[in-house]
Amino acid sequence: MAQTSVDIEHKTDHIQHHFVDSDQQFESSKLGMWIFLVTEILFFGGLFAAYIVYRAWYPELYLEASTELNAFWGTVNTAVLIGSSLTVAMAIRSAQLNQIKGLIYNLYITIGLAIIFMVIKFFEYAEKLEKGIAPGAYYTYDGLEHEKANIFFSIYYMMTGLHGLHVVIGIGLMVWLVIKAKKKVFHSGYYTPVEITGLYWHLVDVIWIFLFPLLYLID
Amino acid sequence: MSGHHISSAKFLWGIGTALFILTFITVAVTWINIPDPWNVVVAIFIAVVKATIVALFFMNLWWDSQFNVMLLITSVVFFLLLVGITLLDTLYRSDPIPSF
């Protein structure tokens, strides 16, 4: 009997005093996260708007400059991110079922996939910077004829760079989740941080789903 | 915690597989040179389908409060407003292309 009452106490100690119950707290956190994701969509939206305006002005520039991007590695990175979205969804499922080991394993796989994504991105950037394909005024490459080629790559670096920053932040959040999971903070009654980090991660995936065809697959 | 939707592992793998297949299709359609502007339309259409699948079944909007769905739709509407109003300017300038 004593064990049971301790268990019940454990199941409710995550509830903050200003919430009626666990469900209300969960729904409030999720609502807050969705509002944050709205600001994220509009944040990236500004860059997508810049992309669209310049593409309407210089359609031939985009066709020419995107040949410098390697569609194969872009495809690999798309698959890597979709795989990581799947493992995050599996991590949330594990948490919901009280399978903390499964939660930690799925988070490890997600972190691994996110690191693979960043390593591929690093080699893509390194290969371009080596050739002098740098953003804006630092552009020194002469393999493209279009005089505005630097503008395409400014947009490319801003969009993929901001996305990459989100991936790095995501890795940090996953590590934090692993640490919390190892401290046995999460159980089927409380996994809010896993859920909302998952929402963030899926949004990062969705943004890449748009970036990939818009940057890599134009030609 | 009774109200939370728990997807089966099989279902999540199904969604993941669908996304992999759609990624392959996005790449495959570039091999069959669809004429401009339809190549962009097809690419964006597939991306929207993929994003919708992720939002509904990975981000669980299918089972979630309608309010969160409304937030997402509103953000898309405001993004389209941003692009639309900007293009009304940049597409119809008498001196269209600035020095930048």
Side-chain angles (χ1 to χ4, degrees), chain A residues 54 58 93 96 148 189 191, chain B residues 1 4-5 7 97 99-100:
Chain A
Y54 276 97
Y58 310 111
R93 178 184 144 78
Q96 287 171 326
K148 305 281 188 191
Y191 59 92
Chain B
M1 300 268 102
H4 294 192
H5 175 81
S7 299
I97 295 176
S99 58
F100 43 90

Side-chain angles (χ1 to χ4, degrees), chain A residues 74-142:
Chain A
T75 311
V76 171
N77 258 353
T78 309
V80 166
L81 268 200
I82 288 173
S84 73
S85 256
L86 176 60
T87 55
V88 161
M90 294 295 279
I92 293 169
R93 178 184 144 78
S94 299
Q96 287 171 326
L97 296 175
N98 237 344
Q99 297 164 350
I100 301 310
K101 240 183 194 161
L103 166 64
I104 292 170
Y105 285 146
N106 276 305
L107 287 172
Y108 277 147
I109 300 171
T110 311
I111 293 167
L113 290 169
I115 289 171
I116 290 172
F117 179 91
M118 289 312 291
V119 168
I120 292 174
K121 208 84 219 109
F122 168 80
F123 282 112
E124 284 190 281
Y125 276 9
E127 184 250 0
K128 278 179 198 64
L129 292 172
E130 185 102 344
K131 286 201 233 166
I133 303 178
Y138 303 100
Y139 185 86
T140 54
Y141 184 57
D142 50 10

Side-chain angles (χ1 to χ4, degrees), chain A residues 38-55:
Chain A
V38 167
T39 70
E40 287 277 277
I41 289 167
L42 294 172
F43 182 29
F44 278 95
L47 289 170
F48 278 100
Y51 173 99
I52 292 166
V53 166
Y54 276 97
R55 188 158 178 184

Side-chain angles (χ1 to χ4, degrees), chain B residues 73-95:
Chain B
I73 292 172
T74 310
S75 75
V76 175
V77 169
F78 273 85
F79 167 67
L80 293 176
L81 264 179
L82 170 70
V83 172
I85 293 173
T86 309
L87 284 178
L88 282 179
D89 168 13
T90 60
L91 281 184
Y92 300 101
R93 289 185 184 179
S94 50
D95 181 15

